Amino acid sequence: MNFEFSSEQNLLRDQAKSFLADKSPLRVARQVLEGESSHDAELWRSIAAMGWTATTIPEKYHGLGLGQLELCVIAEELGRALSPVPFSSSVYMATEALLLGGSEAQKEALLGKLAQGEAIGCMALAEQAGSLSPNSIQSTVSTGKLTGTKLMVADGDLADFAVVLAKSGDDCSLYLVDLNGDGVERETVATMDPSRSHARISFTAAEADLLGTAGDGFQLLAGVLDHAAVLYAFEQVAGAEACLDMAKEYALQRYAFGRPIASYQALKHRMAQMYVACVLARSNCYYGAWALSTRAAELPVAAATARVSATQAFKMCAEENIQIHGGMGFTWEFDCHLYYRRHKLLAVNIGSESFWKDRLITRIEAQKAAA
Amino acid sequence: MDFNDTQQEADFRQEARRWLEENAPKMADVKATDPIERAQAWQMMKYQAGWACLRWPKEYGGRGASAVESSIFSEEEGRVSVPVGAFTIGQGMAAPTMMQYASEEQKKQYLPRLASGEDIWCQLFSEPAGGSDLAALTTRSVRDGDDWVINGQKIWTSGAHYSDYGIMVTRSDPTVPKHKGLTYFFLDMKSAGIEIKPIKQISGDSNFNEVYFTDVRIPDSQRLGKVGEGWAVSMTTLMNERAAIAGGGPGLLSFEGAYALASELQIDDAPATQDRAVRNQLADWYCKESGLKYTFARTQSALSRGDTPGPENSIGKLVSAKKSQEIASFCIDLMEMVGASLSPEAGPYGGQFQNAYMGSPGGRIAGGSDEIMMNIIAERVLGLPQDIRVDKEVPFNEIPTGNK
Ligand SMILES: Cc1cc2nc3c(=O)[nH]c(=O)nc-3n(C[C@H](O)[C@H](O)[C@H](O)COP(=O)(O)OP(=O)(O)OC[C@H]3O[C@@H](n4cnc5c(N)ncnc54)[C@H](O)[C@@H]3O)c2cc1C
């Protein structure tokens, strides 16, 4: 048993930390949030140059062939920095979808470009508010042509291709669609967190290439989401810890009634609770990371546990961080809202806390039935 | 990162499991019916075979095993049905304090009898005037030749009525600030001048007591730590206490316990486990338990280096005490209109959740209340300022006291 990252992985963490401190301070997230661009293209190029986009792609597809633990380390640091890049869409999801379900030809065509950061992939899933289920999907593929509209596609306006969930007959499948091809119209949409770009995409008889087995769309998607859940959880737990640090620093230097507000028990106890939530989430993340890296049978349970725990921690810490900052926390100028926005975005864009809790119990029930 | 057993750990687990499977059934032959005597019988079996207090050195009755091995054994022991007993205070709190402060001769004399379960110890810390504010205690110790003479009163002393020995903090000097005038001892609970009176708890049980001291003599050789340094010794005990009581594995008030109940009850003519609100609540507890389990696993490496458990142990007790109370309450709600019944018709668990609910407030108070735990985290882990204190530098006998 060994519950820590290795010294090589910690070295990678230190590198990532200082790289992002230099290239992606919060100011960079704020620039994208306040500006017109969809992401920081320069930062994206440097991230690709560091090889982060190639982390888990096997060497035969021109990747680095490193493990999932290395990716977890990177996810954590990107989450802390709120880096405005399409990393989660392209790496946690599109790359993973190809690795899990891609044919040899599909992998050959795309993985090399993904590794270099030359191609950016995204996932196009939801079509309406409410939970994602076969009945909520209207997009249809017939004779290789996709028609339908997808909402809130993360990085959909800048990505080169999308992994799209659509119906063919009664069942759903995943398809690869070139977003620069014919029959694709995309429009950037206003969101709660403009530091990460989202689009509405309408497909009209766009060329669609089946990914994985026909009719197994939800099953393949479950695998991709489990993978993404662990990495999202690392981003979330780091975001939560960043909020706690901010709150603590502010509370120590802000005085009210003749003493630092950090000396009032109401705030001390609130920060103690924030700390507890962070520790529980971090420990669950480590379990998720281990399950991911070994493709352990426990992965479905471990991923859901990490995801729920980290969503809870980030929510509590982002909300209370504003509270502890008082009026300053409610200003545009202070950075509290950057985390508050990101927490809510991450909390829903691969399924809500309640969705993952239900999934968790379903999976525990499956374990019990198998035992 | 590897959550699986290493080969060595797997071998150890195998060995432990084999011994447990062979020996646990022998408890059927033990005639005693008293739960403490049964627990002592099991403890003795473990001791004789080298499976008691695994992390202690062999010469004190342990096995010299690592922290990881010790928790592997606990996990395996949790799978077999054996009586658990009144050893938490003696083995989990008194022993680590003795290891650090007692003489070699005393360690050889007392520790093996703690490991074997022959001796049961209690903790004489809290007083009517000193609970959360332990250093406000007033029980006096006065030096007299080779002895100390003790007068005063302790309260909430769990198991005092069946204990052989006790650890206690006393005030040896009331004229210096409160934390500086304390001295720590261990003593024989059969000493002349000790009177024990049971206290009835909200559950109706009486597990804790008032303990009165009238001219009780303790030899100076039973002092742990220097005169006036009892506070530091107490901290060793309390840090170990928080580790010892932080647990909360499978049991009634756990995810598994709640899931088992929910699968036997119905909501709108379907198993309660199918109800979305119930599932959400169950998932919440599962995530907390899992988080605690892996937090424990992460701190184990620190423990295996022989470190004193740090303030992070406060998390375990804080989270699990509140969770237990919530689970008990939720499970009673699931029983709806018969939920408050303590009779067999209350469903498959016949009053167990109800009784557990009556016991659960104690967990949030004993061993440092929720509020004290949050203070510890805020101050010692996060480095936030201490609460403003009016008592710290003042001589103890000049500190204002309220209505105590
Ligand atoms: C089941 C049980 C078993 C026990 N067994 C033992 C035993 O074996 N040996 C032993 O020595 N003691 C034992 N205790 C005593 C226990 O340690 C004390 O009850 C506990 O420390 C609280 O002290 P108190 O009861 O005096 O409450 P108080 O200290 O009077 O606390 C009352 C309330 O005030 C809050 N409070 C106090 N100080 C602060 C502060 N600074 N900031 C914020 N809130 C504060 C508390 O959190 C609590 O909510 C046991 C208690 C219980 C319930």
Side-chain angles (χ1 to χ4, degrees), chain A residues 265, chain B residues 89 123 125-126 131-132 156-158 208 362 365-367 369 371:
Chain A
Q265 239 185 29
Chain B
I89 293 176
Q123 178 196 20
F125 278 28
S126 305
S132 300
W156 322 126
T157 317
S158 303
F208 57 24
I365 300 167
S369 68
E371 291 73 21

Side-chain angles (χ1 to χ4, degrees), chain A residues 123-129 132 136-141 146-153 164-167 179 183-187 189 199-206:
Chain A
M123 288 300 273
L125 304 172
E127 299 183 12
Q128 61 188 48
L132 189 73
S136 75
I137 302 299
Q138 306 290 323
S139 297
T140 308
V141 172
L146 166 69
T147 299
T149 300
K150 292 288 176 181
L151 305 185
M152 277 300 279
V153 179
V164 183
L165 180 66
K167 278 215 163 98
L179 294 177
V184 179
E185 250 179 86
R186 3 185 191 170
E187 191 185 342
V189 292
R200 180 188 310 114
I201 310 187
S202 300
F203 300 97
T204 316

Side-chain angles (χ1 to χ4, degrees), chain A residues 285-299:
Chain A
C285 279
Y286 282 24
Y287 179 49
W290 166 79
L292 192 59
S293 69
T294 56
R295 296 276 165 199
E298 294 93 332
L299 177 60

Side-chain angles (χ1 to χ4, degrees), chain A residues 301-370:
Chain A
V301 166
T305 306
R307 167 74 177 157
V308 170
S309 212
T311 302
Q312 292 176 334
F314 201 6
K315 173 180 191 290
M316 176 195 274
C317 292
E319 290 177 355
E320 299 308 325
N321 185 33
I322 294 186
Q323 184 65 21
I324 290 168
H325 276 76
M328 285 298 178
F330 195 57
T331 62
W332 187 265
E333 204 177 321
F334 265 58
D335 288 333
C336 301
H337 70 112
L338 272 58
Y339 285 100
Y340 188 69
R341 291 171 187 283
R342 183 63 64 87
H343 117 70
K344 205 63 215 169
L345 175 73
L346 296 187
V348 290
N349 83 359
I350 54 167
S352 71
E353 179 183 334
S354 164
F355 165 86
W356 282 97
K357 279 180 163 173
D358 193 59
R359 233 171 144 89
L360 172 59
I361 299 298
T362 304
R363 283 142 174 215
I364 293 169
E365 285 170 335
Q367 274 185 347
K368 284 181 188 292

Side-chain angles (χ1 to χ4, degrees), chain B residues 27-326:
Chain B
M27 279 309 294
D29 307 331
V30 173
K31 297 226 168 47
T33 53
D34 175 60
I36 291 179
E37 282 175 43
R38 293 190 65 79
Q40 285 179 304
W42 172 239
Q43 190 63 32
M44 184 56 88
M45 271 159 70
K46 287 197 287 183
Y47 173 74
Q48 283 167 346
W51 292 105
C53 301
L54 273 73
R55 291 186 53 216
W56 298 8
K58 286 196 179 127
E59 66 264 36
Y60 305 144
R63 191 189 179 89
S66 71
V68 174
E69 287 171 335
S70 164
S71 62
I72 288 176
F73 184 80
S74 304
E75 269 172 42
E76 293 303 319
E77 192 181 13
R79 286 181 218 277
V80 295
S81 168
V82 287
V84 288
F87 308 120
T88 310
I89 293 176
Q91 295 174 353
M93 295 152 60
T97 314
M98 294 286 281
M99 299 238 192
Q100 197 167 333
Y101 291 98
S103 71
E104 192 51 39
E105 200 182 323
Q106 287 167 333
K107 289 191 237 183
K108 292 220 168 85
Q109 182 181 348
Y110 293 100
L111 293 176
R113 292 179 59 85
L114 268 170
S116 67
E118 285 161 283
D119 289 347
I120 293 176
W121 289 47
C122 63
Q123 178 196 20
L124 300 147
F125 278 28
S126 305
E127 296 189 9
S132 300
D133 185 9
L134 175 61
L137 59 86
T138 60
T139 293
R140 273 291 266 144
S141 54
V142 176
R143 182 75 188 245
D144 181 27
D146 285 343
D147 289 345
W148 291 78
V149 179
I150 314 293
N151 281 285
Q153 185 204 339
K154 296 286 175 180
I155 195 169
W156 322 126
T157 317
S158 303
H161 50 301
Y162 52 71
S163 289
D164 303 287
Y165 295 90
I167 41 177
M168 90 185 288
V169 215
T170 62
R171 183 155 311 274
S172 48
D173 186 354
T175 67
V176 296
K178 64 199 285 189
H179 294 91
K180 300 199 172 123
L182 302 175
T183 299
Y184 193 118
F185 302 94
F186 69 91
L187 80 164
D188 188 337
M189 288 300 286
K190 307 286 172 313
S191 308
I194 296 183
E195 191 192 351
I196 299 170
K197 292 187 185 163
I199 305 172
K200 192 169 175 179
Q201 298 155 207
I202 62 170
S203 58
D205 300 333
S206 291
N207 300 321
F208 57 24
N209 306 272
E210 292 180 289
V211 182
Y212 292 87
F213 294 83
T214 312
D215 293 331
V216 175
R217 299 189 82 84
I218 305 180
D220 184 55
S221 59
Q222 290 179 196
R223 172 169 46 80
L224 297 176
K226 296 200 181 103
V227 175
E229 294 186 3
W231 185 250
V233 188
S234 306
M235 284 301 111
T236 303
T237 311
L238 293 182
M239 282 299 186
N240 281 288
E241 169 164 27
R242 278 146 207 172
I245 63 182
L252 190 67
L253 300 187
S254 66
F255 166 81
E256 287 298 341
Y259 187 90
L261 177 77
S263 54
E264 294 194 40
L265 298 179
Q266 306 260 308
I267 292 178
D268 296 337
D269 303 320
T273 47
Q274 289 175 19
D275 181 88
R276 187 72 179 235
V278 171
R279 294 166 76 79
N280 267 353
Q281 192 51 75
L282 289 168
D284 203 48
W285 294 322
Y286 184 89
C287 291
K288 287 208 168 81
E289 285 172 20
S290 165
L292 285 181
K293 177 173 165 195
Y294 297 115
T295 301
F296 175 71
R298 287 169 59 207
T299 49
Q300 261 191 340
S301 46
L303 281 177
S304 46
R305 290 194 300 270
D307 294 359
T308 309
E312 62 277 359
N313 284 298
S314 314
I315 293 176
K317 184 349 242 169
L318 180 62
V319 173
S320 52
K322 177 76 179 148
K323 179 173 67 68
S324 294
Q325 190 174 35
E326 280 174 2

